[in-house]
Amino acid sequence: MSLILALDFGGTKLAAATVESSQREWLRHDHCLSPANADALSDIEIMRSLIDSVLDGRKPDAIGVSFGGPVDADTGIVRLSHHVPGWENIPLQLLLEEEYNAPVSVDNDANVAAIGEYQFGAGQGYETLFYITISTGVGGGWILNGKTWQGAGGMAGEIGHMVVDPGGPVCLCGNRGCVERFASGPYIAQNAKELLEKHPPHSQGGTRGDILRHLVGNDLNKITGQLVSVAASHGDELARAVLNKAAWALGVGIGNVANLMNPQRFVLGGGVTKAGDNFWAIVRKVAQETALPEVNFEVVRAVLGDDAPLWGAVALGLDILD
């Protein structure tokens, strides 16, 4: 029985796990949040300690890697990370192969999560699906006719940088009004903070941001996407407005992709998808309104949750062994 090492280099979290090739339960699993001042070197050092923890002295037979940023899947070279500095043109596949003496396959996290959901999760039984991760960033991964599709240069699926509001705020990519600029966790937090800075505390205590202010002790720098969701669930109208805008942007993006590529299913994962039923209702409604009436599709939750990239990395490892 072969041992697969699965690794996930996320924008804010690093994770590692091991599994026997014929099993569907982790032998060992460990994760760690990236420090605020993380760079490529610190990420690699943290991952080394996680790998040591989950390998427990054993040698892997194959290593699958999910990376949060553009990757040349043919060479395993990381092009860059939009969220962690220092990853420009790092030969991650080669580094891991030399260090652990095992074959390695590396791909973008959304592509890898798509493979995971297709083989082990919400995509089972569907030959055409689009996986979207909405967390630190917003990315997408394609399964077309049962196979991954990365595009000519490995950049297919970047729904996060689809422009839905040309007059909207500037995104980290330089364009205005991208899906990611409205719907990613850090931008949800930033958008809420900017609105609170424009609106002083509500004199009657209630709804326009006061609940969110209370949650962070009036320190607006402590706002996170998760806290915006919590405030919205307790009736904070400002928090709800920010989340509704995020859901609208995502819905417009999904509807346009549905028109262009006509997948059977959209599978949504990542931390922002835990924002509540109202978020999901708006995403689905706007997606259906944006798409042509004749275009049929489903928008469903990822079954594998935060482990979708790790299970996709297992699938990469199984491909190596096959």
Side-chain angles (χ1 to χ4, degrees):
M1 199 177 295
S2 300
L3 183 70
I4 296 173
L5 173 62
L7 308 179
D8 179 19
F9 289 84
T12 53
K13 187 185 81 170
L14 300 158
T18 50
V19 64
E20 300 282 4
S21 57
S22 62
Q23 302 299 311
R24 294 299 172 262
E25 289 185 6
W26 300 124
L27 280 174
R28 290 176 174 270
H29 184 294
D30 202 357
H31 70 274
C32 180
L33 293 176
S34 297
N37 59 345
D39 59 15
L41 289 176
S42 65
D43 271 3
I44 290 171
E45 280 305 310
I46 292 170
M47 187 60 84
R48 279 197 181 103
S49 67
L50 294 175
I51 291 170
D52 289 345
S53 168
V54 299
L55 282 180
D56 194 29
R58 295 183 64 183
K59 179 190 175 301
D61 296 291
I63 303 173
V65 184
S66 165
F67 185 84
V71 173
D72 184 331
D74 292 331
T75 62
I77 294 175
V78 172
R79 289 176 174 168
L80 78 156
S81 166
H82 291 299
H83 304 283
V84 181
W87 275 106
E88 290 77 12
N89 298 314
I90 297 294
L92 186 56
Q93 177 179 315
L94 183 62
L95 289 174
L96 292 169
E97 284 177 343
E98 290 181 345
E99 188 156 349
Y100 296 99
N101 193 28
V104 177
S105 179
V106 184
D107 204 346
N108 165 267
D109 57 348
N111 291 336
V112 177
I115 300 166
E117 287 290 339
Y118 171 68
Q119 289 207 15
F120 307 116
Q124 292 182 92
Y126 292 83
E127 289 299 294
T128 305
L129 67 94
F130 189 48
Y131 175 89
I132 306 173
T133 178
I134 311 107
S135 53
T136 309
V138 178
W142 280 105
I143 301 292
L144 295 180
N145 299 324
K147 296 181 180 179
T148 56
W149 185 64
Q150 289 121 334
M155 294 297 290
E158 290 291 345
I159 188 174
H161 299 290
M162 176 182 287
V163 174
V164 293
D165 180 6
V170 178
C171 178
L172 60 83
C173 73
N175 287 328
R176 286 186 174 272
C178 296
V179 171
E180 181 171 308
R181 181 59 184 79
F182 295 109
S184 71
Y187 274 129
I188 286 173
Q190 180 178 323
N191 294 342
K193 178 185 176 185
E194 289 174 354
L195 283 175
L196 287 174
E197 288 170 342
K198 291 178 184 175
H199 298 282
H202 202 275
S203 58
Q204 301 178 4
T207 55
R208 287 294 301 174
D210 288 6
I211 295 171
L212 183 54
R213 285 183 188 276
H214 175 73
L215 287 173
V216 297
N218 219 32
D219 182 351
L220 303 189
N221 291 319
K222 291 182 178 178
I223 294 174
T224 64
Q226 184 177 11
L227 287 176
V228 175
S229 296
V230 172
S233 70
H234 285 85
D236 190 310
E237 289 180 4
L238 183 143
R240 281 182 176 172
V242 171
L243 279 182
N244 290 352
K245 186 72 171 182
W248 167 84
L250 188 58
V252 172
I254 288 172
N256 281 312
V257 172
N259 282 340
L260 185 67
M261 297 293 288
N262 194 23
Q264 295 165 289
R265 270 197 160 186
F266 290 85
V267 179
L268 275 55
V272 175
T273 62
K274 300 168 187 173
D277 292 341
N278 189 58
F279 179 87
W280 280 88
I282 293 173
V283 169
R284 290 184 172 119
K285 180 174 183 289
V286 173
Q288 293 289 352
E289 291 172 350
T290 303
L292 291 166
E294 301 83 5
V295 178
N296 297 314
F297 57 92
E298 298 175 297
V299 180
V300 302
R301 296 175 188 267
V303 170
L304 303 175
D306 294 340
D307 277 350
L310 278 179
W311 280 109
V314 170
L316 294 181
L318 289 171
D319 283 346
I320 291 172
L321 295 174
D322 287 343

